[in-house]
Amino acid sequence: MDVINGLLKNIYAGKLSLEFLDDLITRIEVAKSQRNYSAKQGWDEKDVVLITYADQFTHQNKKTLSVFNEFYQQYLGDIFNIVHLLPFYPYSSDDGFSVIDYQQVNPVAGDWKDIRKLGQSTRLMFDYVCNHISAGSEWFKEYLAGNPKYENYFISLDENTDLTAVTRPRRSPLLTPFRGKRGDIRHVWTTFSADQIDLNFAHPNVLCDMLDVLLKYLAEGAEYVRLDAVGYMWKEPGTSCIHLPKTHLLVKFFRAVVEYVAPGTVLITETNVPHQDNIRYFGDGTDEAQMVYQFPLPPLVLHAVHSGNAATLTRWAAGLSACSPATTFFNFLASHDGIGLNPLRGLLPETEILALVDALEQEGARVSYKNNADGSTSPYEINVTYMDALSRQDDHDDVRLQRFMLAHAILLAFPGVPAVYIQSILGSRNDNQGAERAGYHRAINRQKYDISQIEQALSEPDSLRARVFSALSTLISSRTRQPAFHPSSPMQVIDCHDRVFAFRRGAGSQEIYCLFNLSDKHTQVNLPAGLYRDIPNNTPLECVGEITLAPYQYIWLCH
């Protein structure tokens, strides 16, 4: 509790009253006293995350969480032991990330009983949308109505304020005009959209209310908590307003709270930024996030497959520092968002990034842009399913499946905890009609389904969905049986061929050689002579010092 008190004093420069501090501490103590279960401590090779929406599947008039739970029990429970439920709260836009009420479940999905029921058979990850709230929320409505309680919950500035130093992740205006009930116009800080109003954590009551939200999630069974858009939480005009020191102090505060109330709970920071900025959210390895998103991995794997060249991916992986015993990476290839390009900057020349964007756009991908400080714009995200990102529209499904499984074999072998998006395990293609109906690019990879549609496709063994589901499920099962794939197990990158990404995981009798041919050509690579077992296929392989990898072949080899 001394750590929590110290952080509060640092964040608010010792200006909090004793009464306020006592109230905050009391809330935390009550939450701790009511805690009635323990979270798993740490992580291991068996941990694989499924990323999904609570309303991903529908069926007649049933609540969608009930439909999902049934599907999970029948199809997914033996594959994934952690489910990341994307925001399942009442919302007004962005498929859940414009939250109207943090403490309620969207009635379409169900209620907290449905969340707890799902949590009886899997560990749960919740989104803590801590940077912004919906323009349709009661907080913001009361702010516009002039309720003095909410006067400082949001940031209103003169429209002529110089904000050119502020980092912009979008092309939309940073300040959005809103008319109050008294007729006054307020220009309110909106980092991501006019419907996503940034919270003002400089006002202590905002922290107090958001603490209640965090404690609610812990009480309802969240063992993983994802801090959405966390880098933007603290604003100071005249600065970049991203990754500011007090943002890191807020993350430290959240960490201290969950450590005290619910030991074992994992905080994951979502910061789609260059790698060095991203890993700063580990803090000293014990005091901030236990996990950070491995944002460079999706675009680097994509670039490697498109170019048939492993050089950049190999160089980046070889330069990764080992995590502390108490931290690791949250690895993924696809998610509800697009494939971020900012993490590539500094790793690839801008000309190569733009060439990749152009090639994907010609094959049906959509591109989202951001504003730069000099007035120019740059692509920051490719909106596409990972399946369609890896292949051309006229490719045969056999090749499409090869590339897709190659990419996921890298994901599952890489150091960290792997996460697979629901559209990936279902083998989904671009939902162009959905993007047109929704009017925004990200909808191309956010398709929702009637459950009978998916079950029918999975029952047809020759369908792409069924083939992907079978192959990826089998590969995940193989992964979870290998101690060498423990998130903290060491990795040694092997620079063996410009077309092959290769590394070793583990040590001694647990050592596994992981080789991935990123090209469409047969490629020979050197390997220590000996008798190996090909883990995914469970077949022996004898090597006399060299093996040949077929196009897009991957192998995990152990002695």
Side-chain angles (χ1 to χ4, degrees):
M1 194 56 73
D2 289 342
V3 173
I4 292 173
N5 269 309
L7 288 166
L8 289 170
K9 289 177 182 177
N10 285 336
I11 294 168
Y12 296 106
K15 295 179 181 178
L16 298 179
S17 69
L18 289 176
E19 181 182 15
F20 182 91
L21 284 169
D22 286 345
D23 177 59
L24 212 64
I25 297 304
T26 298
R27 296 176 191 220
I28 296 170
E29 292 285 9
V30 169
K32 180 178 176 63
S33 69
Q34 295 175 344
R35 182 75 171 174
N36 57 14
Y37 73 94
S38 300
K40 176 180 176 179
Q41 303 297 304
W43 39 75
D44 56 38
E45 66 278 3
K46 295 179 176 59
D47 292 331
V48 183
V49 181
L50 174 71
I51 305 170
T52 185
Y53 287 99
D55 62 349
Q56 185 64 56
F57 302 119
T58 58
H59 182 63
Q60 298 174 353
N61 296 319
K62 296 181 69 172
K63 298 295 184 181
T64 59
L65 273 168
S66 177
V67 179
F68 174 79
N69 197 359
E70 291 174 5
F71 185 79
Y72 175 81
Q73 302 301 331
Q74 182 174 352
Y75 293 93
L76 303 171
D78 293 335
I79 308 169
F80 301 99
N81 66 342
I82 304 167
V83 173
H84 172 198
L85 286 175
L86 293 159
F88 50 81
Y89 327 111
Y91 69 95
S92 53
S93 64
D94 199 16
D95 290 307
F97 284 90
S98 297
V99 180
I100 292 175
D101 188 336
Y102 292 112
Q103 300 215 28
Q104 297 298 322
V105 176
N106 187 343
V108 171
D111 55 29
W112 285 112
K113 290 181 181 178
D114 295 299
I115 297 290
R116 289 192 290 271
K117 184 176 180 180
L118 178 61
Q120 291 172 1
S121 53
T122 186
R123 298 156 66 204
L124 295 176
M125 176 173 164
F126 290 4
D127 268 284
Y128 184 41
V129 188
C130 49
N131 180 72
H132 48 261
I133 195 169
S134 168
S137 65
E138 285 301 311
W139 292 7
F140 193 62
K141 288 179 180 178
E142 289 298 312
Y143 167 79
L144 293 179
N147 184 335
K149 174 184 175 181
Y150 295 96
E151 178 60 28
N152 295 307
Y153 271 53
F154 309 100
I155 302 170
S156 176
L157 299 174
D158 184 289
E159 62 180 317
N160 296 314
T161 303
D162 183 3
L163 298 172
T164 54
V166 177
T167 297
R168 295 296 297 122
R170 299 288 186 271
R171 296 178 70 179
S172 57
L174 179 59
L175 299 180
T176 300
F178 289 91
R179 184 180 297 277
K181 287 190 176 179
R182 298 170 184 169
D184 57 318
I185 299 295
R186 299 188 178 191
H187 292 85
V188 181
W189 199 295
T190 53
T191 296
F192 294 99
S193 80
D195 190 42
Q196 294 169 306
I197 316 299
D198 287 56
L199 295 166
N200 179 22
F201 277 93
H203 182 49
N205 286 346
V206 170
L207 181 70
C208 193
D209 281 352
M210 291 304 289
L211 170 65
D212 285 346
V213 173
L214 179 59
L215 296 176
K216 171 69 172 177
Y217 296 169
L218 298 179
E220 294 293 352
E223 294 189 39
Y224 281 55
V225 178
R226 176 184 183 271
L227 305 182
D228 177 63
V230 66
Y232 299 91
M233 276 197 302
W234 197 274
K235 284 84 174 173
E236 294 177 8
T239 73
S240 66
C241 296
I242 186 171
H243 315 313
L244 297 186
K246 289 196 175 181
T247 290
H248 284 278
L249 287 176
L250 286 170
V251 177
K252 291 174 190 279
F253 172 76
F254 298 149
R255 169 69 180 270
V257 168
V258 299
E259 286 284 315
Y260 187 76
V261 174
T265 302
V266 176
L267 287 186
I268 305 174
T269 50
E270 188 262 337
T271 50
N272 192 352
V273 294
H275 185 70
Q276 290 305 314
D277 291 324
N278 193 24
I279 61 175
R280 289 192 180 98
Y281 286 89
F282 282 142
D284 68 5
T286 65
D287 63 348
E288 286 195 53
Q290 292 99 326
M291 292 188 191
V292 300
Y293 273 72
Q294 186 65 282
F295 275 109
L297 189 63
L300 281 173
V301 170
L302 181 61
H303 171 265
V305 173
H306 268 259
S307 64
N309 190 294
T312 302
L313 180 60
T314 297
R315 184 171 59 252
W316 167 77
L320 288 177
S321 299
C323 293
S324 76
T327 60
T328 194
F329 289 107
F330 188 81
N331 296 327
F332 72 109
L333 295 177
S335 74
H336 61 289
D337 289 337
I339 302 168
L341 297 171
N342 287 343
L344 285 182
R345 294 187 162 101
L347 299 175
L348 280 177
E350 190 69 15
T351 52
E352 285 194 48
I353 296 174
L354 295 178
L356 177 64
V357 170
D358 183 63
L360 287 162
E361 197 168 21
Q362 290 186 35
E363 293 295 334
R366 301 176 183 225
V367 182
S368 297
Y369 290 81
K370 68 181 182 69
N371 288 335
N372 299 319
D374 62 3
S376 64
T377 61
S378 298
Y380 76 86
E381 183 179 87
I382 303 168
N383 302 113
V384 61
T385 65
Y386 212 78
M387 173 74 74
D388 280 337
L390 289 166
S391 300
R392 293 180 292 272
Q393 292 180 7
D394 59 357
D395 279 332
H396 191 279
D397 276 354
D398 289 348
V399 175
R400 188 171 280 111
L401 181 62
Q402 281 182 310
R403 292 190 183 122
F404 184 82
M405 291 304 301
L406 168 72
H408 282 79
I410 295 173
L411 168 70
L412 292 167
F414 209 75
V417 173
V420 177
Y421 186 36
I422 188 72
Q423 304 293 353
S424 294
I425 191 71
L426 296 179
S428 297
R429 307 289 303 279
N430 288 341
D431 182 18
N432 288 299
Q433 292 183 343
E436 292 296 330
R437 285 194 304 270
Y440 54 91
H441 292 341
R442 283 179 170 175
I444 200 171
N445 192 26
R446 296 180 176 181
Q447 188 173 4
K448 310 292 174 67
Y449 307 97
D450 185 282
I451 195 65
S452 59
Q453 174 188 358
I454 292 300
E455 290 181 330
Q456 176 63 34
L458 295 181
S459 71
E460 300 169 359
D462 293 332
S463 72
L464 182 61
R465 288 195 188 277
R467 294 173 70 190
V468 167
F469 188 89
S470 175
L472 189 49
S473 299
T474 300
L475 191 62
I476 291 172
S477 295
S478 296
R479 189 248 189 217
T480 60
R481 294 193 294 269
Q482 308 306 319
F485 288 151
H486 187 289
S488 300
S489 177
M491 172 180 73
Q492 182 176 352
V493 175
I494 305 167
D495 191 359
C496 62
H497 196 288
D498 61 4
R499 294 198 292 262
V500 176
F501 182 44
F503 54 81
R504 291 198 300 268
R505 292 292 310 279
S509 62
Q510 300 294 337
E511 187 174 66
I512 296 178
Y513 283 85
C514 304
L515 306 174
F516 311 92
N517 183 2
L518 296 160
S519 74
D520 59 358
K521 298 177 175 60
H522 285 81
T523 304
Q524 293 180 327
V525 294
N526 294 326
L527 190 70
L531 183 63
Y532 295 88
R533 180 170 63 89
D534 180 356
I535 293 170
N537 296 310
N538 196 27
T539 56
L541 185 151
E542 185 173 5
C543 174
V544 294
E546 186 179 76
I547 62 171
T548 299
L549 296 175
Y552 305 119
Q553 184 181 1
Y554 61 87
I555 51 176
W556 298 341
L557 298 177
C558 66
H559 287 290

